[in-house]
Amino acid sequence: MKYAFSFLAVIALVLIAWLGSQIPGMPYLFGVALPYLALMIFLGGFVYRVVHWAKSPVPFSIQTTCGQGKSLDFIKQDRLEAPNTTAEVVARMFLEIVCFRSLFRNTKSEIHDGPHITYESSKWLWVFALIFHYSFLVIVLRHLRLFLDPVPACVGWVEFIDGLFQIGAPTWYMTDIGLLAGCALLFGRRLITRHVRFISLVNDYFPLVLIFAIAITGILMRYFLRTDIDIVNIKQLTVGLVTFSPVIGAKIGAIFYIHVFLVCVLLAYFPFSKLMHMGGVFMSPTRNMKNNTRAVRHVNPWNPRILPHSYAGYEDEFREYMVENGIPVEKELPPKKDEE
Amino acid sequence: MAVPKLEQLSKSVVQGPSLATGAIPTMDWMDIPVVFKPGNYAYVAKKEKVEYLDSQKGLSFPNARDWNPEEEDWKLPEDWKDIIIKGLAERLDKFRSLKIFMDCCVRCGACADKCHFFLGTGDPKNMPVLRAELLRSVYRNDFTLAGKILGKMAGAREMTTKVLKEWFMYSYQCTECRRCSVFCPYGIDTAEVTMMIRELLHLVGIGINWILEPVSNSNRTGNHMGLQPHTFKDNVEFLVDDVENLTGIRPNITFNRKGAEILFITPSADVFAEPGLYTAMGYMILFDAIGLDYTWSTYASEGGNFGLFTNNETMKKLNAKMYAEAERLGVKYILGGECGHMWRVLHQYMDTMNGPADFLEVPVSPLTGTVFENAASTKMVHISEFTADLIKHNKLKLDKSRNSHVKATWHDSCNPARAMGLMDEPRYILDHVVDWVEMPENTIREQTFCCGSGTGLNTDEIMELRMRAGLPRANAVKYVAEKHLVNMLACVCAIDRATLTSLMNYWNPTVEVCGLTELVANAIVREGENRPELPEGLRTML
């Protein structure tokens, strides 16, 4: 039911934007006020969350080493998996953030009669995640065309490569398909893989459905509902938003407002949700710390003053036995008093 | 608790209706209550042990009491909920890891089938992600806007005794082995989560005896077995006698000797019980063979640190003895024996907690002159680093054929592998002393499986759980035992030596367990030795 709820929520959002944007005067709300508000919530929320994390110190060096650490000269260090220098940490983080290194390691375990447990490489999640994230990234980059005037050359290159197959008119972008497929695959995986289905929350389905709806509305606008859309008007509005002089010229179709509204919801939802993994992945101590803790002391700012049970106390308790058994002591036994 | 017969358990782990075997629970996990019954929980800490620890300076173990997990009423303090929520708030302020790990999980499920407890029990709450959700759901409820507004819809739930009981159950079905953190795309480390839950539980007087009694012992007598100085010395000297009988050379041993070059600290279990005893004999033979100027200590006679399994303050207090003793004796540096979690503390925590150890020197091998730059600040060297360096420089005369009765395989202990990256030093040593093979690739190195009984869970009343949790490790051993006739599982961990022995007896009775230094000592050839044929190495009964 959690996934059904996500659909209902997104349908409701679509209806709000669709109907809302038809009310006279409201386009300004959906086209200007909400985007500004959403962006403020996004930026403010994102920064707040990252600062909130950063306020807590990292008391201990808890790197997870996924390969041989640096030790003796003749033992080959795995510099990417057990980094010892800042450069090596940067390289490890690069692989993690850009290539999803840890997901690439994924295996699938099965228990067979015997018992006999098998582990098979399982790259599906890695593939789905790559498709989803990179499609999203490229689409965001392509959208810069709408906000920048003149359009930077690199945006053109991205569009050129993205549309390389030149299928359809206007040319279909690979990433449009990629984002839809990515959402569908990640969503389907949540339903089909039993572990994942069991742990999934509304918070897991909702963003996927929302992003799927954003992609659908975008695709409808670009490929199918072009007559409703005056791209010149839109660009005038979007460039206006960036230059803080937004103007809504002639009427823009509802599909545009739906698209923009869903994006606003996503932006506003972002800082309060698991989507903050985008920031958190940079700050995870098991990945971004050096494995040099015996060579360089890591400092804990709140290190409490705690002393061990003292040697003196220990010897006081056991001195007699120690002396009797020839274990060296700091203080000799007091001279024995004569019993009689 | 009676442990089920091998046939029964073998069937149960495959066919039992569990999430691991294919059955899908019909209820939401939040609606499934935990039930405590004999055999599924470790005995709770005795009141007097908790009181003793609470009386120690710098430690806090409040709310000591007699209580029973099987009873409805856990006799919690009046304001227990406040204590927990305040404790959580305090820890969020102190540990960035906790905040990040609470906020960033996307529930992708990559960790789900990586946990040995999940694979062995099939219990969904043993999936690392769900273990963390036990805490995360409360965090959402009390510390996030979405949780406060949307409640259960956002995966939030109120802290109740039901939740607390879940915490107790599942934070003691995690061995903090960190295998899941290898696979997590954000490096979320369940060990951190488990540590935090255990810290919070201690605030309301909930802990297990198998951890708190060893902690008390370590604090008072210096070692977790509670051996007093003379008994510790006696135990070690028994081993000296054994070594003399076997090799004809009586190793030179000293205790608490000031002015020694090196202080040697190893888990006390090594001088107390088989098969660790043979590893301890191995240390003596090795050090004597190279004429090392070293001393044992009765005060710092425990390498292991059960404090790691309670809270960071206790870890610090126990660990502090090592530097205190090194300073008192005036040694140059410390050499550490084979132990897993001990080395996590030494590698990642010791210098931060109790350093800087300015009174020590950067470790240099007195035999080879090698400077251990990787331990330049902490000034503590791992025995495998030390031994590998000796072998590299031909300082040991080794006869591999003396281990011809052994076909070994190598168990990477969780903490040396995933917290230090100590993987190839032991392999280098193995190559020189014994014939050995690797287990399958997804079960070794950083992907190694826990023995199933780490973090103070090596207690007998939960033997079935331990056998289940150890199944993935045992299963990989079984594979090489059948394929390559492996008869020895070697490791660098004292808890492993104890727990893998039970595990092998159960799942693979033809396989024995040993420490790495035992194999080294088996192979050492010494001048002046009077060593008869030892068909089982140091284990030979003469």
Side-chain angles (χ1 to χ4, degrees):
Chain A
M1 286 324 288
K2 289 168 180 166
Y3 50 90
F5 176 83
S6 304
F7 278 109
L8 287 177
V10 172
I11 290 170
L13 291 172
V14 169
L15 288 175
I16 290 171
W18 189 359
L19 302 176
S21 65
Q22 302 307 304
I23 303 169
M26 291 306 258
Y28 198 78
L29 175 71
F30 284 93
V32 178
L34 285 181
Y36 275 137
L37 182 65
L39 198 66
M40 281 189 321
I41 295 174
F42 173 75
L43 292 177
F46 198 104
V47 170
Y48 173 83
R49 183 94 335 221
V50 170
V51 170
H52 170 74
W53 288 333
K55 269 193 198 155
S56 295
V58 180
F60 305 114
S61 185
I62 55 165
Q63 68 280 4
T64 304
T65 51
C66 300
Q68 173 63 41
K70 182 170 163 50
S71 74
L72 300 158
D73 294 343
F74 58 94
I75 302 284
K76 191 170 178 295
Q77 183 205 351
D78 188 336
R79 293 159 58 119
L80 288 174
E81 304 285 9
N84 202 63
T85 63
T86 306
E88 288 163 8
V89 168
V90 169
R92 181 188 206 191
M93 293 304 290
F94 180 86
L95 277 184
E96 192 64 79
I97 292 164
V98 175
C99 308
F100 304 173
R101 170 72 185 99
S102 293
L103 276 186
F104 188 73
R105 247 191 286 267
N106 195 31
T107 58
K108 182 177 190 301
S109 321
E110 277 178 355
I111 307 183
H112 305 276
D113 282 335
H116 178 59
I117 310 183
T118 57
Y119 312 93
E120 247 179 84
S121 170
S122 172
K123 304 266 187 279
W124 292 114
L125 176 56
W126 178 74
V127 172
F128 296 171
L130 277 182
I131 294 174
F132 174 82
H133 285 91
Y134 276 96
S135 297
F136 206 142
L137 176 66
V138 170
I139 289 171
V140 170
L141 291 178
R142 280 202 279 101
H143 276 67
L144 289 178
R145 162 178 293 282
L146 294 170
F147 298 97
L148 302 175
D149 199 16
V151 177
C154 54
V155 173
W157 303 336
V158 170
E159 286 169 344
F160 173 74
I161 295 169
D162 201 1
L164 204 60
F165 290 116
Q166 304 217 336
I167 297 167
T171 301
W172 275 85
Y173 287 126
M174 284 182 269
T175 50
D176 287 352
I177 311 294
L179 188 60
L180 284 183
C183 286
L185 291 167
L186 290 173
F187 191 91
R189 185 180 163 274
R190 284 206 179 273
L191 291 186
I192 292 164
T193 309
R194 60 180 189 272
H195 309 120
V196 189
R197 181 171 177 145
F198 193 65
I199 57 178
S200 292
L201 302 170
V202 177
N203 335 3
D204 300 315
Y205 293 110
F206 174 68
L208 284 173
V209 179
L210 182 62
I211 293 168
F212 190 84
I214 290 171
I216 286 281
T217 49
I219 287 170
L220 283 175
M221 250 189 296
R222 175 171 162 83
Y223 304 102
F224 300 103
L225 301 176
R226 291 182 71 81
T227 47
D228 285 5
I229 299 301
D230 184 342
I231 191 70
V232 178
N233 265 331
I234 289 179
K235 177 127 189 186
Q236 189 188 10
L237 169 59
T238 51
V239 171
L241 283 171
V242 174
T243 54
F244 299 106
S245 50
V247 184
I248 300 184
K251 192 171 180 299
I252 305 174
I255 187 74
F256 171 76
Y257 292 108
I258 297 172
H259 184 71
V260 170
F261 183 63
L262 294 181
V263 171
C264 290
V265 171
L266 181 67
L267 286 172
Y269 174 76
F270 201 103
F272 306 98
S273 71
K274 68 166 192 175
L275 303 180
M276 279 307 292
H277 67 264
M278 178 179 164
V281 66
F282 289 89
M283 294 172 76
S284 178
T286 60
R287 291 290 186 274
N288 71 9
M289 302 190 83
K290 293 173 218 169
N291 181 38
N292 65 351
T293 32
R294 268 188 299 152
V296 180
R297 179 168 183 252
H298 176 83
V299 176
N300 172 5
W302 51 262
N303 193 17
R305 184 180 152 77
I306 298 174
L307 299 175
H309 175 59
S310 70
Y311 176 79
Y314 170 85
E315 191 182 296
D316 285 347
E317 185 174 356
F318 298 112
R319 184 170 297 113
E320 211 170 317
Y321 298 119
M322 294 171 78
V323 171
E324 213 167 278
N325 286 274
I327 300 172
V329 286
E330 298 274 348
K331 259 163 63 180
E332 290 304 325
L333 285 171
K336 270 189 189 158
K337 284 179 193 153
D338 289 332
E339 296 270 309
E340 253 271 304
Chain B
M1 272 320 96
V3 185
K5 291 219 163 59
L6 181 65
E7 298 75 42
Q8 263 177 303
L9 195 57
S10 300
K11 260 196 187 155
S12 166
V13 292
V14 182
Q15 296 166 1
S18 78
L19 193 64
T21 58
I24 296 169
T26 48
M27 277 198 283
D28 191 79
W29 65 264
M30 283 191 196
D31 301 329
I32 303 173
V34 287
V35 180
F36 287 88
K37 51 186 184 201
N40 76 354
Y41 67 91
Y43 297 149
V44 303
K46 289 179 196 137
K47 191 178 166 200
E48 69 264 23
K49 297 295 168 199
V50 183
E51 281 167 344
Y52 167 77
L53 286 173
D54 196 42
S55 72
Q56 297 302 299
K57 251 195 177 155
L59 303 187
S60 171
F61 285 87
N63 299 305
R65 64 186 180 277
D66 292 312
W67 64 287
N68 179 355
E70 289 178 55
E71 283 168 14
E72 179 60 31
D73 180 10
W74 283 15
K75 301 180 186 163
L76 294 164
E78 228 17 53
D79 54 343
W80 71 269
K81 209 183 288 188
D82 268 359
I83 297 175
I84 294 275
I85 299 299
K86 276 190 193 137
L88 180 53
E90 187 196 325
R91 280 158 186 77
L92 287 164
D93 285 340
K94 282 163 97 175
F95 296 88
R96 186 183 302 167
S97 55
L98 184 60
K99 278 185 179 170
I100 304 251
F101 296 165
M102 288 297 102
D103 281 334
C104 286
C105 177
V106 300
R107 284 160 300 283
C108 72
C111 59
D113 59 353
K114 309 304 180 286
C115 174
H116 53 292
F117 265 101
F118 176 65
L119 290 171
T121 64
D123 186 334
K125 286 177 193 164
N126 273 327
M127 292 189 285
V129 46
L130 218 44
R131 200 187 313 280
E133 288 286 314
L134 300 181
L135 176 60
R136 204 175 274 130
S137 52
V138 173
Y139 164 77
R140 285 195 195 100
N141 193 67
D142 287 84
F143 297 92
T144 71
L145 189 63
K148 280 178 188 160
I149 297 171
L150 297 171
K152 202 177 168 186
M153 185 96 81
R157 61 174 177 171
E158 213 188 314
M159 187 71 209
T160 60
T161 50
K162 202 184 129 239
V163 174
L164 191 80
K165 290 176 181 187
E166 253 179 351
W167 283 9
F168 179 56
M169 176 74 91
Y170 294 101
S171 67
Y172 289 92
Q173 289 189 26
C174 166
T175 48
E176 300 176 4
C177 81
R178 309 175 87 216
R179 188 171 192 265
C180 48
S181 85
V182 168
F183 293 91
C184 175
Y186 317 114
I188 295 174
D189 182 1
T190 306
E192 287 291 300
V193 176
T194 296
M195 287 159 102
M196 290 303 138
I197 298 181
R198 288 187 183 186
E199 285 202 4
L200 293 173
L201 291 174
H202 282 302
L203 297 180
V204 293
I206 295 176
I208 70 171
N209 203 58
W210 195 260
I211 294 175
L212 292 193
E213 187 162 335
V215 168
S216 314
N217 288 342
S218 299
N219 188 60
R220 178 169 161 254
T221 67
N223 60 74
H224 90 272
M225 311 293 309
L227 305 178
Q228 300 188 0
H230 50 295
T231 320
F232 185 81
K233 181 172 182 253
D234 278 352
N235 274 21
V236 177
E237 282 174 347
F238 275 129
L239 302 177
V240 173
D241 294 340
D242 284 350
V243 170
E244 186 179 12
N245 284 338
L246 289 164
T247 67
I249 301 178
R250 188 172 179 83
N252 188 24
I253 296 287
T254 58
F255 295 91
N256 301 9
R257 175 164 63 91
K258 287 193 177 179
E261 184 176 355
I262 291 168
L263 169 63
F264 176 65
I265 302 177
T266 197
S268 63
D270 282 350
V271 303
F272 186 76
E274 287 189 42
L277 294 179
Y278 306 114
T279 307
M281 287 158 70
Y283 300 141
M284 294 172 191
I285 294 172
L286 172 68
F287 298 154
D288 204 55
I290 57 174
L292 194 69
D293 176 17
Y294 80 108
T295 183
W296 296 71
S297 164
T298 61
Y299 168 67
S301 47
E302 179 61 68
N305 188 330
F306 273 50
L308 173 67
F309 314 146
T310 58
N311 56 38
N312 66 79
E313 292 86 1
T314 310
M315 184 197 328
K316 171 166 174 155
K317 189 171 176 79
L318 295 186
N319 173 257
K321 281 188 180 181
M322 292 194 184
Y323 278 154
E325 184 69 338
E327 188 170 17
R328 185 181 77 86
L329 298 178
V331 299
K332 287 185 180 164
Y333 65 94
I334 313 173
L335 185 58
E338 300 178 11
C339 181
H341 78 276
M342 155 182 168
W343 270 99
R344 170 142 205 232
V345 176
L346 302 182
H347 187 73
Q348 298 194 328
Y349 294 98
M350 171 149 90
D351 209 350
T352 300
M353 288 181 155
N354 292 310
D358 297 333
F359 44 87
L360 298 176
E361 295 175 14
V362 174
V364 178
S365 171
L367 281 301
T368 66
T370 299
V371 182
F372 293 95
E373 295 286 358
N374 65 331
S377 177
T378 302
K379 282 118 178 167
M380 187 146 182
V381 176
H382 191 285
I383 182 84
S384 289
E385 295 165 345
F386 190 79
T387 309
D389 176 63
L390 290 174
I391 294 175
K392 177 73 181 175
H393 290 89
N394 289 315
K395 297 296 178 188
L396 294 176
K397 194 169 176 210
L398 298 167
D399 178 359
K400 217 170 165 173
S401 73
R402 290 185 172 184
N403 272 319
S404 58
H405 59 289
V406 175
K407 175 87 178 188
T409 189
W410 180 248
H411 166 66
D412 287 282
S413 303
C414 314
N415 286 300
R418 286 186 280 262
M420 295 175 78
L422 183 109
M423 302 178 188
D424 286 326
E425 296 90 341
R427 286 174 168 77
Y428 180 84
I429 297 169
L430 284 170
D431 285 342
H432 286 84
V433 301
V434 72
D435 185 19
W436 73 286
V437 291
E438 290 276 15
M439 282 182 271
E441 62 170 343
N442 293 116
T443 68
I444 56 168
R445 301 183 73 91
E446 73 277 8
Q447 298 193 27
T448 187
F449 273 109
C450 178
C451 62
S453 312
T455 60
L457 303 185
N458 48 328
T459 175
D460 285 353
E461 64 267 21
I462 50 170
M463 193 54 93
E464 179 183 341
L465 262 178
R466 291 173 49 192
M467 295 303 105
R468 283 176 176 274
L471 173 64
R473 172 40 75 220
N475 213 241
V477 176
K478 188 178 175 202
Y479 178 81
V480 285
E482 284 169 0
K483 195 169 171 194
H484 301 287
L485 302 176
V486 161
N487 61 8
M488 187 65 84
L489 180 56
C491 61
V492 272
C493 175
I495 289 183
D496 276 333
R497 283 191 282 277
T499 62
L500 287 175
T501 302
S502 316
L503 191 72
M504 289 305 115
N505 284 340
Y506 189 80
W507 291 107
N508 312 309
T510 59
V511 180
E512 289 184 283
V513 181
C514 74
L516 180 58
T517 307
E518 178 188 343
L519 296 176
V520 174
N522 273 348
I524 286 181
V525 179
R526 294 190 60 183
E527 250 174 70
E529 68 180 6
N530 176 17
R531 186 180 183 275
E533 191 69 16
L534 298 177
E536 291 179 70
L538 297 179
R539 299 186 181 199
T540 312
M541 303 290 282
L542 288 181

